[in-house]
Amino acid sequence: MKKRVLIVDDFETTTYTVGTTLRMQGYEVFKANNGIDALKVLDANEIDLLVTDYEMPGMNGAELIEKMRERPKYKQIPALVLSSETSEQKRKKAMAAGITGWIQKPYKLDSFVKIIQKALTINEGI
Amino acid sequence: MKEFKKFRDKYIEDASELVAELEHDLLTLEHSPDDKSLNEKVFRTMHTLKGTSGMYGFEQIAEITHRLETIYDMVRSGDTKITNKTIDLTLSAVDYIKHLLQNPEDGETDISVFKNLMENIGEQVSEVEKDAPIQEVTGENFIDQNSTKTDDFVSYYIAFRPFENIYDRGVNPEMVLKELQNLGICKIVKYDEKKDLISDDTRKCFTSWDIFLSTKENINEVEDVFIFIPDEYRMIKIADENLFEYQDFLEKAEAFCRALPVSSNGISKDVIDEFLSTLKPKPVEEETGEKSETEEDNLISDEKQKLPDIKTATKEFVEQKTQSIRVASSKLDELINLVSELITKQAELQLLSEKRKDTHLTSISEDLGKMINNLKDNAFSVRLVPIESMIVGLRRLVRDLTADLNKEVQFVAQGMDTELDKNMIDTLSKPLMHILRNNIDHGIETPQERIKKGKPRKGRISMNAFRMQSHVYIQIEDDGAGIDLEKVRKKAIDKEFISESTDLSEKEIIALIFHPGFTTKEGVSEVSGRGVGMDVVRKSIEQIRGEIEIETKKDIGTVITIKLPLTLSIVDTLLVTIADNYYIIPLATIESCNRVTQAEIDKCRNNRIIIEGDMMPFVDLRQRFGITDKPLEKRRIIVVNHQDRLVGLIADKVVGQYQAVLKPVGEIFHAQDVISEVSILGDGNVALMIDLNKIFK
């Protein structure tokens, strides 16, 4: 079965590029432009991986992941923040909120794909 | 690459739009430098540019925007203000970015503009940043995809200290270790086990690891393993060689780590160096002569320097010795299969040599037999897996269930390094889960009930595995309510498994639990009632030739013991005949073999017979298999211990002990269940394995 990835970013450019990259890798891609919509997608589907921007209007990436973790089915589903935010404090806070990993932008395409693959297996066996 | 170009074109299109927007915003910002929302917009645009540019090979744009972003971020947080100089600088950067987007190759051919620009930005940043700590340069954050393997081994020491919430972040530390093992040779020392085993909260991770890794992979590959947990490990490069080539490394590394205080945050470089200097080099194949202890000590540093030469000489040998390799389990199955065939063939040879009375041939055959026996033991040991491999799933189950059922349970696991055949582990995990589910759902009481009963608030389930002779035992013990035998009895009467008047011993009542369709809990609970009952548990355990036993005491708790054979497909058996057919019975179950006459058998009533003073039920295999011709007068009774009772099996003749290679019975025999497997004898005859569980039903 295709793994389902949800991409959340308020910038179309990111959801477009990341989304297309992942679709080409054989993943099923879901998109949302903000945290509220993302939660709706999460509730309506069985998502295998969340990739979200950090700075978004309304709800930031860490808050979204915190909300996601409140849902029993997403307790141990990997969730990545994809951000060029370099604040160590924010990253630590997000770690405490239950993010699986923080992908620092900029990144290269193939290492990005590798990270996604890794994220989809790192929770195996929990 | 075609797709990549498509992306790149799309990126250039998007980026050009963003840059145009940026330019427009900058010009507005110049007139109203205090406009917070506008500054925010500029920052975000820059941010987006930075995020996407690196992906498509526009590293320069990524670096420029990364540096510039710092300034706008500080404006955002109120640490500095927009100045004309900032705007000027940004605009010149925008011009260069525009140029780059149209002529990407210019960024490579002429980096003077870029350098110049970066310097200017750098100056500006350090100006506004005077008070704030300098941020890392972005270059370090790139993940290097060039994972070129180096030719030589490099060794690292890694202190892996997961945060307690690692599971709740969707990261399984075991997977991290697995990935490390894929990179090279690892020595993994697990810590803090005590706390881990009796953890108060199974949802948290209290374990940490010390790892020695020798690998040919680039350091980036190693760091990538920890990409999601950058704060939870510390890695030191400790040597430019493969430490596992030192003969005493494994042993010493373990002792060394164990000697560290539990709270230790890992080892410092100095301590490691000191430790490394104590290692003995791998001995050279030719004898170097006896040395006294002190002489050897003095020589160590000397020898260590000479080591590279020694290493090349013994490299192949050494690597074989220490390296663990991963093999597809299908290959292992094939190996066992081949060994089995070999055993069968050897039996044939043995038979032939005896027939020919050729002593030379007999001695070859016997030697071959011994060697095959060693090979068999070896092949089986390869398939052994520690029970620990199941534990994560079980722990997880306990954690989730206790939460769902509002119960409090302490789960303790011991002896998890006990090894079992891989196939058995696979078959076992479901029944074990079911047992644990029962323990938590039916056994352990709610905290309120427990307090009322004067028990500690938190229930306790312990799982203990150990090996005794040729069996492995797994015991699961809880301190819950125990099984209510009266309830079990009533239920069995309700379900008409037994009648009201049946007088049953405690053991027999417990045995009712394994009856298909039995469940005591009123209404199927969501947890235990998943369609599988204890009968299924028993079935799967019997499938791997195991036995299950339950002991229970009201309000004290329940102990479930699972007894498993060490190997599955090669079993020591007793070969017997009935009429002209061969049958085999597992040797481990046999108590004694006795003579019995047909007249004695005929005198018995209710199929009960007295053997050596013990009265026991028996099965006449002749009758059981419907053989009607006249039996021999002298027959044999094989007394077996079946579920703690002595039971007799009457056969015609006993041939002797036989190491049987078991094969599944063909599909057309599936209608019967008395024969569980077959084995081919040396002379080509087929021996049928009697399933004791079925024949005594």
Side-chain angles (χ1 to χ4, degrees):
Chain A
M1 228 205 24
K2 276 189 182 179
K3 292 273 187 186
R4 301 199 175 103
V5 184
L6 169 61
I7 299 156
V8 191
D9 201 311
D10 52 334
F11 270 91
E12 288 264 358
T13 328
T14 313
T15 48
Y16 174 82
T17 49
V18 174
T20 325
T21 312
L22 293 182
R23 199 171 297 118
M24 275 169 45
Q25 293 294 322
Y27 298 112
E28 192 175 339
V29 176
F30 294 76
K31 291 176 190 172
N33 293 325
N34 56 59
I36 308 277
D37 285 353
L39 287 173
K40 279 183 197 151
V41 176
L42 285 170
D43 286 334
N45 299 282
E46 302 290 326
I47 300 294
D48 297 307
L49 169 68
L50 172 82
V51 180
T52 176
D53 189 19
Y54 188 84
E55 283 291 347
M56 288 185 295
M59 192 189 294
N60 73 27
E63 286 162 353
L64 167 60
I65 289 170
E66 214 169 355
K67 287 246 157 51
M68 161 176 156
R69 293 273 182 245
E70 283 167 11
R71 290 155 167 75
K73 67 175 177 175
Y74 289 115
K75 267 189 186 143
Q76 265 109 19
I77 297 295
L80 301 176
V81 166
L82 179 62
S83 171
S84 39
E85 188 65 63
T86 49
S87 152
E88 189 65 8
Q89 209 186 346
K90 282 179 185 162
R91 195 178 64 81
K92 289 238 160 96
K93 228 165 119 189
M95 281 294 187
I99 70 161
T100 306
W102 183 286
I103 308 179
Q104 193 69 53
K105 281 187 190 173
Y107 50 82
K108 287 183 183 164
L109 210 52
D110 51 356
S111 52
F112 173 70
V113 169
K114 237 162 78 186
I115 292 172
I116 296 295
Q117 283 166 350
K118 188 170 281 194
L120 281 165
T121 54
I122 197 79
N123 69 333
E124 268 175 23
I126 298 188
Chain B
M1 266 354 257
K2 221 179 187 175
E3 285 92 348
F4 183 70
K5 193 173 176 312
K6 215 174 90 197
F7 281 143
R8 198 176 151 119
D9 290 347
K10 169 72 182 160
Y11 157 78
I12 291 174
E13 201 182 306
D14 284 350
S16 304
E17 251 172 60
L18 283 173
V19 172
E21 213 176 295
L22 187 61
E23 196 172 7
H24 175 262
D25 291 340
L26 282 171
L27 293 172
T28 322
L29 193 63
E30 194 171 13
H31 294 291
S32 44
D34 292 321
D35 188 341
K36 276 236 148 80
S37 68
L38 198 56
N39 178 70
E40 174 82 18
K41 197 168 170 232
V42 170
F43 169 77
R44 296 185 63 84
T45 313
M46 212 103 72
H47 200 79
T48 311
L49 267 177
K50 164 182 148 185
T52 44
S53 304
M55 257 167 84
Y56 299 100
F58 291 89
E59 268 96 348
Q60 291 192 351
I61 299 184
E63 292 228 4
I64 293 167
T65 43
H66 175 74
R67 282 312 253 170
L68 280 173
E69 186 197 286
T70 319
I71 303 173
Y72 289 91
D73 196 19
M74 293 184 79
V75 175
R76 216 159 61 127
S77 52
D79 290 343
T80 186
K81 278 190 166 15
I82 295 283
T83 60
N84 280 347
K85 210 175 156 193
T86 318
I87 301 283
D88 281 349
L89 189 64
T90 317
L91 282 174
S92 61
V94 164
D95 288 341
Y96 182 59
I97 291 172
K98 267 205 233 161
H99 176 78
L100 272 185
L101 286 173
Q102 270 146 30
N103 315 287
E105 56 292 336
D106 277 9
E108 280 155 47
T109 49
D110 185 8
I111 60 164
S112 62
V113 188
F114 173 65
K115 265 193 163 165
N116 206 352
L117 191 62
M118 281 307 278
E119 254 172 53
N120 289 339
I121 300 174
E123 264 172 45
Q124 175 80 16
V125 170
S126 44
E127 224 179 284
V128 296
E129 231 177 23
K130 260 175 215 144
D131 306 334
I134 290 168
Q135 303 240 3
E136 260 179 68
V137 181
T138 172
E140 282 182 27
N141 287 327
F142 279 106
I143 297 153
D144 188 5
Q145 87 255 44
N146 306 320
S147 58
T148 41
K149 277 197 181 189
T150 50
D151 286 337
D152 293 314
F153 273 102
V154 177
S155 296
Y156 301 96
Y157 161 77
I158 301 164
F160 179 25
R161 305 282 183 269
F163 294 158
E164 283 182 5
N165 73 344
I166 189 161
Y167 291 115
D168 288 339
R169 299 202 317 267
V171 177
N172 184 356
E174 302 280 346
M175 284 302 289
V176 174
L177 296 176
K178 225 168 150 183
E179 276 191 59
L180 276 181
Q181 281 166 320
N182 284 341
L183 291 182
I185 315 167
C186 278
K187 169 67 192 169
I188 298 172
V189 182
K190 198 172 165 184
Y191 267 116
D192 219 353
E193 276 181 52
K194 235 186 200 159
K195 209 167 160 195
D196 172 49
L197 290 174
I198 326 175
S199 72
D200 286 349
D201 187 349
T202 37
R203 188 183 278 282
K204 286 183 180 162
C205 175
F206 292 110
T207 315
S208 55
W209 290 268
D210 270 350
I211 303 143
F212 287 96
L213 168 71
S214 287
T215 178
K216 287 185 172 182
E217 297 283 352
N218 192 300
I219 184 163
N220 293 321
E221 287 292 311
V222 186
E223 281 174 344
D224 267 7
V225 171
F226 294 95
I227 189 155
F228 299 135
I229 40 176
D231 308 329
E232 285 149 87
Y233 84 109
R234 204 163 58 80
M235 180 161 85
I236 318 175
K237 181 176 156 185
I238 50 173
D240 278 317
E241 57 184 334
N242 181 1
L243 287 178
F244 290 80
E245 287 181 0
Y246 289 91
Q247 57 173 337
D248 55 351
F249 173 69
L250 279 176
E251 206 184 301
K252 282 201 173 157
E254 169 105 32
F256 176 66
C257 292
R258 291 272 173 244
L260 292 171
V262 173
S263 59
S264 140
N265 214 5
I267 308 165
S268 75
K269 181 88 169 83
D270 299 346
V271 183
I272 292 224
D273 285 344
E274 202 186 309
F275 160 61
L276 293 179
S277 69
T278 67
L279 293 176
K280 279 188 205 148
K282 189 88 201 164
V284 204
E285 263 145 301
E286 62 205 273
E287 284 294 316
T288 45
E290 296 278 312
K291 278 181 209 145
S292 77
E293 279 283 290
T294 43
E295 242 181 309
E296 213 174 335
D297 282 348
N298 294 336
L299 279 170
I300 279 173
S301 55
D302 206 28
E303 277 184 50
K304 213 191 144 199
Q305 279 164 1
K306 271 189 265 162
L307 196 71
D309 307 328
I310 302 170
K311 252 185 358 194
T312 34
T314 56
K315 199 161 194 167
E316 238 176 5
F317 172 69
V318 170
E319 277 182 13
Q320 261 180 3
K321 264 263 168 166
T322 51
Q323 216 159 340
S324 74
I325 51 166
R326 301 165 71 85
V327 180
S329 63
S330 62
K331 281 190 184 166
L332 292 181
D333 290 341
E334 181 66 21
L335 177 68
I336 300 292
N337 225 339
L338 290 172
V339 172
S340 310
E341 302 281 333
L342 213 52
I343 292 173
T344 312
K345 267 284 170 257
Q346 196 275 333
E348 199 178 327
L349 183 68
Q350 183 74 33
L351 216 67
L352 183 76
S353 67
E354 277 164 18
K355 220 160 136 195
R356 296 220 178 145
K357 297 203 166 60
D358 181 336
T359 49
H360 191 192
L361 192 63
T362 309
S363 88
I364 292 176
S365 159
E366 276 171 5
D367 285 350
L368 198 62
K370 279 178 204 152
M371 279 157 71
I372 292 174
N373 221 355
N374 285 343
L375 179 66
K376 179 204 82 181
D377 288 345
N378 199 302
F380 273 107
S381 73
V382 168
R383 288 182 54 90
L384 295 179
V385 178
I387 293 174
E388 188 155 29
S389 56
M390 291 191 284
I391 198 77
V392 179
L394 297 179
R395 234 178 245 290
R396 173 77 200 282
L397 179 91
V398 172
R399 170 225 280 185
D400 288 358
L401 268 188
T402 45
D404 287 352
L405 297 169
N406 289 325
K407 293 189 179 176
E408 289 174 27
V409 173
Q410 186 179 49
F411 182 57
V412 187
Q414 273 164 349
M416 291 300 108
D417 50 353
T418 312
E419 292 179 319
L420 263 182
D421 189 281
K422 176 153 191 330
N423 283 352
M424 273 195 251
I425 296 257
D426 292 348
T427 319
L428 259 184
S429 76
K430 274 230 173 87
L432 281 183
M433 282 194 169
H434 188 77
I435 290 170
L436 280 179
R437 229 177 254 147
N438 271 335
N439 281 344
I440 297 168
D441 195 16
H442 304 311
I444 302 287
E445 311 92 331
T446 59
Q448 295 79 5
E449 274 176 77
R450 290 183 65 88
I451 289 167
K452 244 188 243 164
K453 285 185 185 175
K455 290 183 182 182
R457 181 184 168 88
K458 192 172 267 185
R460 184 184 159 100
I461 297 178
S462 67
M463 182 165 141
N464 201 354
F466 54 93
R467 182 175 160 174
M468 226 161 75
Q469 287 154 356
S470 60
H471 286 88
V472 168
Y473 294 81
I474 300 176
Q475 265 183 345
I476 297 161
E477 193 177 346
D478 72 44
D479 67 346
I483 298 168
D484 187 340
L485 295 179
E486 196 41 42
K487 214 164 149 193
V488 171
R489 211 180 95 90
K490 277 198 183 118
K491 194 88 188 176
I493 295 167
D494 280 356
K495 297 220 168 186
E496 294 176 352
F497 296 156
I498 54 169
S499 74
E500 191 92 46
S501 57
T502 327
D503 192 19
L504 294 173
S505 71
E506 226 169 72
K507 238 177 186 161
E508 284 165 317
I509 297 177
I510 292 174
L512 288 171
I513 298 168
F514 294 112
H515 205 287
F518 184 91
T519 166
T520 53
K521 195 127 199 184
E522 306 297 331
V524 180
S525 104
E526 253 182 54
V527 179
S528 305
R530 280 195 191 155
V532 254
M534 286 302 280
D535 61 313
V536 180
V537 170
R538 183 189 193 150
K539 233 183 225 158
S540 14
I541 287 168
E542 281 174 357
Q543 220 175 52
I544 48 176
R545 237 188 305 283
E547 290 166 30
I548 181 165
E549 207 186 274
I550 300 182
E551 280 169 69
T552 185
K553 270 233 161 67
K554 194 163 189 295
D555 288 337
I556 304 280
T558 308
V559 184
I560 296 178
T561 309
I562 299 169
K563 180 180 168 192
L564 298 160
L566 277 179
T567 56
L568 273 184
S569 55
I570 300 184
V571 180
D572 283 324
T573 62
L574 187 73
L575 184 64
V576 301
T577 62
I578 297 139
D580 285 328
N581 300 321
Y582 291 97
Y583 293 89
I584 45 183
I585 303 160
L587 203 60
T589 61
I590 295 176
E591 295 281 322
S592 66
C593 280
N594 297 281
R595 290 173 200 281
V596 65
T597 61
Q598 188 58 40
E600 282 175 279
I601 298 166
D602 291 340
K603 266 190 279 173
C604 292
R605 282 161 198 277
N606 289 333
N607 276 357
R608 273 169 205 266
I609 195 166
I610 297 172
I611 300 292
E612 289 177 342
D614 288 321
M615 163 92 101
M616 64 187 75
F618 70 88
V619 174
D620 187 345
L621 293 174
R622 229 165 216 281
Q623 270 174 17
R624 184 67 178 76
F625 295 134
I627 297 159
T628 47
D629 53 333
K630 202 176 167 338
L632 298 164
E633 186 49 34
K634 283 181 185 165
R635 301 188 61 192
R636 297 290 193 117
I637 179 159
I638 296 115
V639 179
V640 300
N641 184 336
H642 176 64
Q643 289 172 2
D644 262 359
R645 286 186 309 156
L646 292 179
V647 195
L649 276 175
I650 299 177
D652 287 357
K653 281 181 192 161
V654 169
V655 181
Q657 193 177 333
Y658 173 68
Q659 191 173 55
V661 177
L662 300 176
K663 304 266 171 195
V665 286
E667 222 164 274
I668 48 170
F669 296 105
H670 278 183
Q672 61 79 37
D673 55 7
V674 181
I675 305 302
S676 56
E677 274 116 351
V678 300
S679 178
I680 299 165
L681 301 178
D683 58 5
N685 270 315
V686 170
L688 308 173
M689 174 76 133
I690 295 171
D691 189 337
L692 298 178
N693 289 316
K694 298 293 155 47
I695 202 142
F696 294 132
K697 233 175 198 172

